[in-house]
Amino acid sequence: MFSKSCEYAIRAVIFICTKNEENKVVKIQEIAEAIGAPVYYTSKILQQLCRLKLMGSLKGQNGGFYMGLEHKEIRLIDIVQAIDGDKIFNGCALGLSQCSERNPCPLHAQFKSIRKELKEMLESTTILDLSLNLLKGKTTLKKLNGIIK
Amino acid sequence: MFSKSCEYAIRAVIFICTKNEENKVVKIQEIAEAIGAPVYYTSKILQQLCRLKLMGSLKGQNGGFYMGLEHKEIRLIDIVQAIDGDKIFNGCALGLSQCSERNPCPLHAQFKSIRKELKEMLESTTILDLSLNLLKGKTTLKKLNGIIK
DNA sequence: TTAAATCATGTTTTCTAAATCGTGTGAATA
DNA sequence: TATTCACACGATTTAGAAAACATGATTTAA
Ligand code: FES
Ligand code: FES
């Protein structure tokens, strides 16, 4: 569904968003630990999001990543598009070079409604929503035993 | 969504099914050409399906692959599970080691309904259905220009 | 009976996503 | 101003999926 990079990205922004309640920046070490992802790899992904202004960063001592007021409206679809592009929206379910109404693959009709539902979900869900549930302890970013792999 | 192997598998079985109308076995060369996939790779995938009795094969001259009466009821879900396992049904959207109701990730609730719809689609769709539409020319397994990539 | 055709199987190579490394740059603080 | 901390960025390495190869086994037809 999503690439590994995209999964890490989503997990990371949700986590950072929970910390932002306290108006703090979060160090990459802490982020990576919290979401169970490789440190260097995670930092690469977050830098990409920073370039696209989907989040912010501060260098130097007391530096880190943050999601401020200007990022409160970021939605899942923004993260997914930033990392995975829009292949999940216009890619063919059977791998034809492109999905088209004009030349549909045998699965096109059935796939269409699923993709629509997925898209609507990604468009309507904000990172903030997800982070609030995480704060309330309703959801988790790690398995209880701590192993994510 | 699906692995490349799985995409090839689905395209192949649909194609073979159309030929079965004429009660013929189809050579791997013809199959690979028709679905725009690498010959050796495709044969490996089909052999896997044969072992699981999801299709049949004949060796020797005039040999090839076929889908007979005993395979008329094969559904998309059978192919997908044979090749990709059931990670698309019990894998977590955010890559946690496992999807669970007990310890849901932040996307679990939203993802659940989409996965349900996908599963129902795969369960209810037979390869035969898809092949009939292909025969009628309503759908295609290749882009018109022949390039699938 | 022999040769050609075709699937079966194990091994090797290639390609790309994923992960790591090394060095640079900016900011805080002493 | 010097030192240290933390992100930025390009380059490299690793791992696993995808693709190709080589050889074996089985059937048909000449
Ligand atoms: S053409 Fe395959 S999903 Fe649209
Ligand atoms: S726990 Fe992530 S989708 Fe169910």
Short mmCIF file of all heavy atoms in Angstrom, two decimals, chain A residues 27-28 44 47 51 57 59-60, chain D residues 4-11:
data_model
loop_
_atom_site.label_atom_id
_atom_site.label_comp_id
_atom_site.label_asym_id
_atom_site.label_seq_id
_atom_site.Cartn_x
_atom_site.Cartn_y
_atom_site.Cartn_z
N LYS A 27 13.99 15.92 18.91
CA LYS A 27 15.22 15.47 18.26
C LYS A 27 14.97 14.20 17.45
O LYS A 27 14.12 13.39 17.80
CB LYS A 27 16.30 15.18 19.31
CG LYS A 27 16.93 16.41 19.88
CD LYS A 27 18.11 16.08 20.76
CE LYS A 27 17.68 15.35 22.01
NZ LYS A 27 18.81 15.20 22.97
N ILE A 28 15.74 14.08 16.37
CA ILE A 28 15.54 12.93 15.49
C ILE A 28 15.75 11.61 16.23
O ILE A 28 15.06 10.63 15.95
CB ILE A 28 16.49 13.02 14.26
CG1 ILE A 28 16.22 11.90 13.26
CG2 ILE A 28 17.95 13.00 14.70
CD1 ILE A 28 14.85 11.93 12.67
N LYS A 44 16.37 11.53 6.85
CA LYS A 44 16.26 11.82 5.42
C LYS A 44 14.83 12.13 5.02
O LYS A 44 14.55 13.07 4.29
CB LYS A 44 16.75 10.60 4.61
CG LYS A 44 18.22 10.57 4.38
CD LYS A 44 18.47 10.48 2.89
CE LYS A 44 19.61 11.35 2.51
NZ LYS A 44 20.88 10.66 2.47
N GLN A 47 13.62 15.44 6.40
CA GLN A 47 14.21 16.57 5.67
C GLN A 47 13.42 16.85 4.39
O GLN A 47 13.21 18.00 4.00
CB GLN A 47 15.66 16.27 5.32
CG GLN A 47 16.60 16.47 6.50
CD GLN A 47 17.89 15.69 6.35
OE1 GLN A 47 18.31 15.39 5.24
NE2 GLN A 47 18.52 15.36 7.47
N ARG A 51 11.53 20.38 3.38
CA ARG A 51 11.70 21.14 2.13
C ARG A 51 10.35 21.52 1.54
O ARG A 51 10.20 22.56 0.93
CB ARG A 51 12.51 20.32 1.12
CG ARG A 51 14.01 20.37 1.35
CD ARG A 51 14.77 19.84 0.14
NE ARG A 51 14.63 18.41 -0.04
CZ ARG A 51 15.42 17.49 0.53
NH1 ARG A 51 16.42 17.88 1.30
NH2 ARG A 51 15.24 16.22 0.31
N SER A 57 12.00 22.62 11.01
CA SER A 57 13.16 22.11 11.74
C SER A 57 14.02 23.26 12.23
O SER A 57 13.98 24.35 11.69
CB SER A 57 13.99 21.20 10.82
OG SER A 57 14.62 21.96 9.82
N LYS A 59 18.09 23.97 13.53
CA LYS A 59 19.43 23.41 13.70
C LYS A 59 19.99 23.79 15.07
O LYS A 59 19.38 24.55 15.80
CB LYS A 59 20.36 23.95 12.62
CG LYS A 59 20.19 23.31 11.26
CD LYS A 59 21.27 23.80 10.30
CE LYS A 59 21.09 23.23 8.91
NZ LYS A 59 22.10 23.77 7.98
N GLY A 60 21.14 23.25 15.33
CA GLY A 60 21.88 23.66 16.52
C GLY A 60 21.38 23.09 17.82
O GLY A 60 20.45 22.29 17.86
P DT D 4 34.02 20.65 22.69
OP1 DT D 4 34.82 20.09 23.79
OP2 DT D 4 34.35 20.38 21.28
"O5'" DT D 4 32.48 20.26 22.91
"C5'" DT D 4 31.64 21.12 23.65
"C4'" DT D 4 30.24 21.11 23.05
"O4'" DT D 4 30.13 22.11 22.01
"C3'" DT D 4 29.83 19.78 22.40
"O3'" DT D 4 28.55 19.44 22.86
"C2'" DT D 4 29.84 20.10 20.91
"C1'" DT D 4 29.37 21.56 20.96
N1 DT D 4 29.60 22.36 19.73
C2 DT D 4 28.62 23.24 19.33
O2 DT D 4 27.58 23.41 19.92
N3 DT D 4 28.91 23.93 18.18
C4 DT D 4 30.06 23.83 17.41
O4 DT D 4 30.20 24.50 16.40
C5 DT D 4 31.04 22.88 17.88
C7 DT D 4 32.31 22.68 17.11
C6 DT D 4 30.77 22.18 19.02
P DC D 5 28.01 17.92 22.89
OP1 DC D 5 28.04 17.47 24.28
OP2 DC D 5 28.72 17.18 21.84
"O5'" DC D 5 26.49 18.07 22.45
"C5'" DC D 5 25.75 19.22 22.84
"C4'" DC D 5 24.83 19.63 21.70
"O4'" DC D 5 25.61 20.32 20.68
"C3'" DC D 5 24.14 18.47 20.99
"O3'" DC D 5 22.74 18.66 21.05
"C2'" DC D 5 24.66 18.53 19.55
"C1'" DC D 5 25.06 20.00 19.43
N1 DC D 5 26.10 20.27 18.39
C2 DC D 5 25.88 21.30 17.47
O2 DC D 5 24.83 21.95 17.53
N3 DC D 5 26.82 21.55 16.53
C4 DC D 5 27.95 20.83 16.50
N4 DC D 5 28.84 21.12 15.57
C5 DC D 5 28.19 19.78 17.44
C6 DC D 5 27.24 19.53 18.35
P DA D 6 21.76 17.38 20.88
OP1 DA D 6 20.65 17.51 21.84
OP2 DA D 6 22.60 16.18 20.86
"O5'" DA D 6 21.19 17.57 19.42
"C5'" DA D 6 20.32 18.65 19.15
"C4'" DA D 6 20.29 18.92 17.66
"O4'" DA D 6 21.61 19.35 17.24
"C3'" DA D 6 19.97 17.70 16.82
"O3'" DA D 6 18.72 17.86 16.18
"C2'" DA D 6 21.09 17.61 15.81
"C1'" DA D 6 21.76 18.97 15.90
N9 DA D 6 23.17 18.85 15.58
C8 DA D 6 24.09 18.00 16.13
N7 DA D 6 25.28 18.10 15.60
C5 DA D 6 25.14 19.06 14.63
C6 DA D 6 26.03 19.62 13.71
N6 DA D 6 27.31 19.25 13.62
N1 DA D 6 25.55 20.57 12.88
C2 DA D 6 24.27 20.93 12.97
N3 DA D 6 23.33 20.48 13.80
C4 DA D 6 23.83 19.54 14.61
P DC D 7 18.14 16.77 15.13
OP1 DC D 7 16.72 16.59 15.47
OP2 DC D 7 19.04 15.60 15.08
"O5'" DC D 7 18.24 17.54 13.75
"C5'" DC D 7 17.44 18.69 13.54
"C4'" DC D 7 17.98 19.50 12.37
"O4'" DC D 7 19.41 19.54 12.42
"C3'" DC D 7 17.63 18.92 10.99
"O3'" DC D 7 17.36 20.00 10.11
"C2'" DC D 7 18.89 18.16 10.60
"C1'" DC D 7 19.94 19.10 11.17
N1 DC D 7 21.24 18.43 11.40
C2 DC D 7 22.38 18.87 10.71
O2 DC D 7 22.27 19.82 9.92
N3 DC D 7 23.57 18.25 10.92
C4 DC D 7 23.64 17.25 11.79
N4 DC D 7 24.83 16.68 11.98
C5 DC D 7 22.50 16.78 12.51
C6 DC D 7 21.34 17.40 12.28
P DA D 8 17.04 19.73 8.53
OP1 DA D 8 16.26 20.88 8.02
OP2 DA D 8 16.51 18.36 8.41
"O5'" DA D 8 18.48 19.77 7.83
"C5'" DA D 8 19.05 21.02 7.50
"C4'" DA D 8 19.97 20.89 6.29
"O4'" DA D 8 21.18 20.18 6.66
"C3'" DA D 8 19.40 20.14 5.08
"O3'" DA D 8 19.77 20.87 3.92
"C2'" DA D 8 20.05 18.76 5.15
"C1'" DA D 8 21.38 19.06 5.81
N9 DA D 8 21.91 18.00 6.68
C8 DA D 8 21.23 17.36 7.69
N7 DA D 8 21.96 16.48 8.34
C5 DA D 8 23.19 16.54 7.71
C6 DA D 8 24.41 15.84 7.94
N6 DA D 8 24.57 14.93 8.90
N1 DA D 8 25.45 16.14 7.14
C2 DA D 8 25.29 17.07 6.19
N3 DA D 8 24.20 17.79 5.89
C4 DA D 8 23.18 17.47 6.70
P DC D 9 19.21 20.46 2.46
OP1 DC D 9 19.16 21.69 1.65
OP2 DC D 9 18.01 19.63 2.62
"O5'" DC D 9 20.38 19.55 1.88
"C5'" DC D 9 21.74 20.00 2.01
"C4'" DC D 9 22.67 18.94 1.46
"O4'" DC D 9 23.08 18.04 2.51
"C3'" DC D 9 22.04 18.06 0.36
"O3'" DC D 9 22.98 17.94 -0.68
"C2'" DC D 9 21.84 16.73 1.06
"C1'" DC D 9 23.04 16.72 2.00
N1 DC D 9 22.94 15.78 3.14
C2 DC D 9 24.10 15.17 3.61
O2 DC D 9 25.18 15.44 3.06
N3 DC D 9 24.02 14.32 4.66
C4 DC D 9 22.84 14.07 5.23
N4 DC D 9 22.80 13.23 6.25
C5 DC D 9 21.63 14.68 4.76
C6 DC D 9 21.73 15.52 3.72
P DG D 10 22.44 17.48 -2.18
OP1 DG D 10 22.33 18.68 -3.04
OP2 DG D 10 21.29 16.57 -2.03
"O5'" DG D 10 23.67 16.63 -2.70
"C5'" DG D 10 25.00 17.11 -2.45
"C4'" DG D 10 25.92 15.93 -2.23
"O4'" DG D 10 25.64 15.31 -0.96
"C3'" DG D 10 25.78 14.84 -3.29
"O3'" DG D 10 27.07 14.49 -3.79
"C2'" DG D 10 25.13 13.68 -2.55
"C1'" DG D 10 25.61 13.91 -1.11
N9 DG D 10 24.73 13.36 -0.10
C8 DG D 10 23.38 13.58 0.04
N7 DG D 10 22.86 12.94 1.06
C5 DG D 10 23.93 12.27 1.63
C6 DG D 10 23.99 11.41 2.76
O6 DG D 10 23.08 11.08 3.51
N1 DG D 10 25.27 10.94 2.99
C2 DG D 10 26.37 11.24 2.22
N2 DG D 10 27.52 10.69 2.58
N3 DG D 10 26.33 12.03 1.16
C4 DG D 10 25.10 12.51 0.92
P DA D 11 27.24 13.27 -4.85
OP1 DA D 11 28.35 13.65 -5.74
OP2 DA D 11 25.91 12.91 -5.42
"O5'" DA D 11 27.72 12.08 -3.92
"C5'" DA D 11 28.84 12.28 -3.06
"C4'" DA D 11 29.20 10.96 -2.40
"O4'" DA D 11 28.24 10.66 -1.36
"C3'" DA D 11 29.20 9.76 -3.35
"O3'" DA D 11 30.34 8.96 -3.07
"C2'" DA D 11 27.90 9.06 -3.04
"C1'" DA D 11 27.72 9.35 -1.55
N9 DA D 11 26.34 9.36 -1.10
C8 DA D 11 25.28 10.01 -1.69
N7 DA D 11 24.14 9.83 -1.05
C5 DA D 11 24.48 9.03 0.03
C6 DA D 11 23.72 8.49 1.08
N6 DA D 11 22.41 8.69 1.23
N1 DA D 11 24.37 7.73 1.99
C2 DA D 11 25.69 7.52 1.84
N3 DA D 11 26.50 7.99 0.88
C4 DA D 11 25.83 8.73 0.01
#
